[in-house]
Amino acid sequence: MDTITNLLDAKGTPLDRQRFTWREMSNAPISKLDDDAFTRVRVILMNGIETDALRLKHIGARMFGELREPLAQVRRVEQHQQTQINWLLSADHSPLETTLAYEQVAIEVTAAVAQNEPDPYQAQTYRFGLLEDFDHLYRYAAMLDRLEGKDANNILQGYTDIIPARPTADHHRHPDDDLREHYDRSDAALITKIHAAMITAAEYQTHDYYMNIGPLFADPLARALYAEIASVEEQHVTQYGSLMDPNESFLEKWLIHEVMEAYNYLSCVEQEDNPRIRAIWERFLDYELGHMNLVMELFKKHERRDPAEVLAGPMPRLMKLKSQRDFIRKVISEEVDLRALGINFVPREDEGQLTLDYRQHLHSQGIPADIVSAGYSWHPGTELNRPAP
Amino acid sequence: MDKPAHTGMNRTGAQMSPLHTPEQKAAAEQVRPTVPGSARQLAEARQEAVASAEPVGSVPIPGSIKGAVKTVAQKISGHNPAILIDKLGERLAFERTGVRLYDAMIAKAQALGEPQDKLDRLQHFRDEEAEHMERVKEAMESLGADPTAQTPSADVAGVSGLGVLQVITDPRTNMAQSLDALLTAELTDNAAWDLLIDLAREAGQSDMVPSFEQALRQEQDHLGTLRIWLREALGVKNS
């Protein structure tokens, strides 16, 4: 296993030197046409991670008065980091095209994490969720084709297959069947904690994005499709969030989050081929290392514990963010018929009554994902470009 | 200074992924859709939604003073008075947005080093759009209608125009791309003035017609000029 050895020893940029201008935050975007799809994948992933950094810190500030100041200080920097990252998306992406990119992030990043995750149950959970985001991509590709007359592959650039997996209509489960077993904070590997925080963050932003843009559509089926898939994304946030040990203290969670952020920026630095964007990743890696060191000091001060307790153990490099086609095809062929019952993954015929009842009622007036994708097969240049039989 | 189209590393097409594309196509051919049917299902669901949908909103009742409605209704003949007021509201909103489109176009043309005579013409067109807005405002006031209200057609025209605005204000778009977007607006504007003149005439508002006809002639000048400039920007000979 290729591991990271000295990331946690670096001091990074001190907080008081982490400054921004409006010009930096609202700088030139990437090119939708010319930049590599994985540059956009990294932009969306890191935006989601910074959004979650703010979210966690706001919740912490509501509960721990003595941490309000450092939380506010770090949050302000992360607000500006997030702005600089999210503003890299160019305005020629329609909201639906950006949606395709979000699903590509969910698929390719979760596939990379599933293969790197040492805990078999957690890895199984990532594979389970992966097949659902993969199916969302297919449904949204049909929507893009039939609404805007555009080819989803202009966004995906050939890296990701556009085929059904576990049908979206089957994703809707009773909340009890979306909870998973959490890792044990005392013996889980650091990378397991990083993965759970990272994928939860990514899914959370996808949920929030769909909730924000869904009502922007005029087409009634597009609105309905976003309503349906946003609900599944909430299920995914429930699922992945429940992988984390609720017995961790807030500071422990904060520390893990900062390490997770640094870990992801490091992978961005190592893999980015656009030099202008790589410079942003390098700068923000140093910023996150600064945050991490600050939290380590707070951890010592308030918990009287050694951060090494939390941060010990090998940390594998993030798998290359590239097309995970072969892995995903294997997971589809072996696990597409799995369903969830409580915290367990079971054969399709063993789904529980709670979920069946919940789903039946939701579907009782029509299923948007089925309507928009009826008979849809992706073809280069859209289904309208398919030669007549 | 302009940024004409050039060849480069555009990655969006299937040809740019010679290894991935056959894999993608094979998968799409092997894995059948999970739901039978076609785009027909979407069309049917849209039809169902159209049948049960409420309109986007209403045309405001002219005037807030009691009795104003009757006065206006008497003034407008032939047509439902709401239609004329709705379309006047649309024209006003469109011209107002038109001023902002030209503001953005002038900034772009200046940045891209367009000659002063072209900038002067753009400024002239911009001022005419503002003046057209005033013409419609006066017409609405003569009917007791509220020129500050957003009528349903004004609202819908705003939605239609969003794409044009996005193209012209994007700093990455060049003169030809921006002119193309502006042409979309001017083509619509020309047709809309033509329609509004007939609508005013049929509604017994012939006193509005000369003013609107003058606006249409000016819009025809805008349109003709933009067509020539677009050809010039693309290096196409003007016929």
Side-chain angles (χ1 to χ4, degrees):
Chain A
M1 181 172 67
D2 190 12
T3 57
I4 300 167
T5 51
N6 55 1
L7 177 69
L8 307 181
D9 299 332
K11 291 295 172 201
T13 306
L15 197 59
D16 59 4
R17 284 176 41 208
Q18 300 186 3
R19 300 195 305 166
F20 293 82
T21 65
W22 305 123
R23 175 68 66 89
E24 285 174 328
M25 282 184 261
S26 180
N27 205 338
I30 60 170
S31 169
K32 171 180 135 184
L33 309 182
D34 291 3
D35 270 297
D36 189 89
F38 278 102
T39 294
R40 180 173 45 225
V41 164
R42 282 182 281 272
V43 166
I44 293 171
L45 172 65
M46 296 319 297
N47 178 62
I49 285 172
E50 291 297 356
T51 316
D52 198 61
L54 284 167
R55 184 181 295 121
L56 177 70
K57 290 176 185 66
H58 274 298
I59 295 168
R62 291 181 198 178
M63 294 188 286
F64 303 102
E66 70 276 23
L67 295 174
R68 287 196 318 168
E69 279 185 20
L71 282 167
Q73 289 163 1
V74 177
R75 265 201 319 263
R76 187 60 50 83
V77 173
E78 289 180 328
Q79 159 70 22
H80 294 159
Q81 284 177 261
Q82 189 203 337
T83 309
Q84 185 164 351
I85 294 166
N86 203 25
W87 266 230
L88 289 171
L89 291 181
S90 55
D92 48 345
H93 291 84
S94 73
L96 190 44
E97 287 179 306
T98 303
T99 297
L100 267 295
Y102 268 61
E103 293 298 347
Q104 188 172 39
V105 173
I107 293 162
E108 301 296 353
V109 174
T110 310
V113 162
Q115 294 169 83
N116 240 11
E117 172 55 49
D119 180 310
Y121 177 82
Q122 301 248 337
Q124 168 78 80
T125 303
Y126 295 124
R127 296 197 302 275
F128 184 79
L130 164 65
L131 292 190
E132 299 192 336
D133 286 321
F134 189 81
D135 193 77
H136 297 167
L137 180 79
Y138 165 74
R139 309 294 161 183
Y140 279 130
M143 189 84 249
L144 183 73
D145 189 337
R146 292 174 171 178
L147 180 68
E148 299 184 13
K150 292 178 184 168
D151 181 353
N153 200 44
N154 291 163
I155 296 295
L156 306 175
Q157 296 180 4
Y159 293 123
T160 312
D161 286 336
I162 309 167
I163 52 174
R166 181 180 308 124
T168 295
D170 289 357
H171 298 177
H172 313 291
R173 290 174 290 272
H174 187 275
D176 293 359
D177 293 330
D178 283 320
L179 292 169
R180 302 288 167 255
E181 198 166 33
H182 63 77
Y183 61 69
D184 182 339
R185 57 180 278 272
S186 60
D187 65 7
L190 176 58
I191 191 64
T192 295
K193 299 173 182 177
I194 287 173
H195 284 159
M198 169 182 169
I199 298 297
T200 303
E203 294 288 326
Y204 220 135
Q205 82 152 343
T206 304
H207 167 265
D208 289 0
Y209 181 68
Y210 295 169
M211 291 300 285
N212 282 319
I213 67 157
L216 299 183
F217 286 85
D219 183 78
L221 270 297
R223 294 170 76 89
L225 182 65
Y226 275 92
E228 182 180 1
I229 296 183
S231 176
V232 180
E233 300 303 346
E234 157 56 25
Q235 293 179 239
H236 286 182
V237 179
T238 298
Q239 163 173 283
Y240 293 126
S242 69
L243 291 175
M244 294 182 267
D245 191 340
N247 300 307
E248 286 165 338
S249 71
F250 171 71
L251 264 167
E252 199 167 340
K253 286 190 185 297
W254 187 7
L255 186 54
I256 290 165
H257 211 285
E258 295 298 350
V259 175
M260 179 271 281
E261 293 167 49
Y263 171 78
N264 276 283
Y265 280 120
L266 177 65
S267 101
C268 290
V269 169
E270 290 179 341
Q271 301 186 21
E272 183 61 63
D273 61 4
N274 179 327
R276 181 171 72 87
I277 309 302
R278 186 167 60 241
I280 296 173
W281 304 142
E282 285 168 348
R283 175 180 168 190
F284 289 175
L285 171 59
D286 280 340
Y287 281 20
E288 291 306 337
L289 292 170
H291 302 168
M292 190 183 76
N293 278 281
L294 175 80
V295 184
M296 285 164 84
E297 291 307 311
L298 292 168
F299 192 74
K300 289 181 205 165
K301 179 182 166 192
H302 291 280
E303 302 224 347
R304 309 223 173 271
R305 290 163 65 193
D306 182 354
E309 271 180 50
V310 179
L311 305 181
M315 191 155 54
R317 285 183 187 282
L318 184 63
M319 287 194 66
K320 184 97 178 148
L321 284 180
K322 62 178 180 62
S323 176
Q324 303 288 350
R325 174 172 281 121
D326 292 342
F327 172 76
I328 295 166
R329 285 182 181 177
K330 182 166 178 289
V331 176
I332 293 174
S333 71
E334 294 173 358
E335 303 183 19
V336 74
D337 286 334
L338 284 184
R339 300 292 183 270
L341 178 63
I343 60 167
N344 298 309
F345 300 105
V346 298
R348 182 162 55 179
E349 52 276 19
D350 292 348
E351 275 192 302
Q353 200 56 44
L354 281 175
T355 277
L356 292 174
D357 291 347
Y358 168 83
R359 185 182 300 151
Q360 187 185 28
H361 180 73
L362 279 169
H363 289 348
S364 60
Q365 293 182 309
I367 309 170
D370 281 5
I371 295 169
V372 304
S373 63
Y376 186 74
S377 286
W378 173 78
H379 186 82
T382 79
E383 66 179 351
L384 300 177
N385 192 42
R386 191 189 309 281
Chain B
M1 277 285 281
D2 196 12
K3 301 175 259 191
H6 65 283
T7 53
M9 277 296 289
N10 182 313
R11 299 173 197 249
T12 58
Q15 287 179 8
M16 278 301 285
S17 308
L19 299 178
H20 289 300
T21 300
E23 292 275 344
Q24 259 186 324
K25 278 184 74 174
E29 282 159 14
Q30 284 160 16
V31 181
R32 301 317 306 154
T34 53
V35 184
S38 67
R40 186 70 215 153
Q41 272 77 357
L42 176 59
E44 286 169 2
R46 282 173 171 165
Q47 285 170 27
E48 194 182 320
V50 169
S52 62
E54 295 289 329
V56 293
S58 62
V59 179
I61 297 166
S64 55
I65 309 158
K66 206 174 172 184
V69 180
K70 199 177 167 195
T71 312
V72 172
Q74 282 169 344
K75 274 184 164 178
I76 302 174
S77 62
H79 265 78
N80 176 351
I83 293 178
L84 180 62
I85 292 168
D86 186 29
K87 297 302 278 185
L88 285 167
E90 174 198 309
R91 211 69 259 115
L92 188 151
F94 197 99
E95 300 298 318
R96 195 169 52 200
T97 302
V99 175
R100 300 309 183 194
L101 290 177
Y102 274 100
D103 281 342
M105 190 72 206
I106 291 165
K108 173 151 293 171
Q110 273 180 324
L112 296 178
E114 291 294 323
Q116 191 59 44
D117 60 334
K118 193 175 278 185
L119 297 174
D120 292 344
R121 282 302 288 286
L122 282 169
Q123 182 65 43
H124 178 65
F125 291 170
R126 184 252 183 230
D127 295 343
E128 286 185 338
E129 300 291 351
E131 197 250 325
H132 297 170
M133 177 189 142
E134 282 298 321
R135 285 170 194 256
V136 185
K137 182 180 151 193
E138 283 168 20
M140 291 185 82
E141 284 171 345
S142 75
L143 295 172
D146 182 357
T148 67
Q150 190 172 39
T151 68
S153 291
D155 180 39
V156 170
V159 175
S160 296
L162 273 180
V164 172
L165 186 70
Q166 283 284 89
V167 170
I168 297 176
T169 56
D170 190 330
R172 304 170 307 158
T173 54
N174 61 27
M175 272 305 283
Q177 289 156 347
S178 303
L179 286 168
D180 238 328
L182 202 50
L183 188 62
T184 304
E186 289 290 10
L187 281 164
T188 301
D189 211 10
N190 270 255
W193 277 109
D194 196 39
L195 179 72
L196 190 63
I197 289 164
D198 286 347
L199 194 58
R201 195 177 281 128
E202 288 182 20
Q205 304 300 314
S206 50
D207 50 335
M208 293 179 188
V209 170
S211 167
F212 290 180
E213 283 178 334
Q214 192 183 1
L216 175 59
R217 284 192 293 276
Q218 290 171 337
E219 295 294 0
Q220 285 166 340
D221 179 34
H222 300 183
L223 180 59
T225 306
L226 290 183
R227 283 178 188 272
I228 292 168
W229 286 352
L230 178 58
R231 284 172 162 264
E232 285 173 357
L234 294 170
V236 180
K237 282 182 191 155
N238 281 304
S239 51

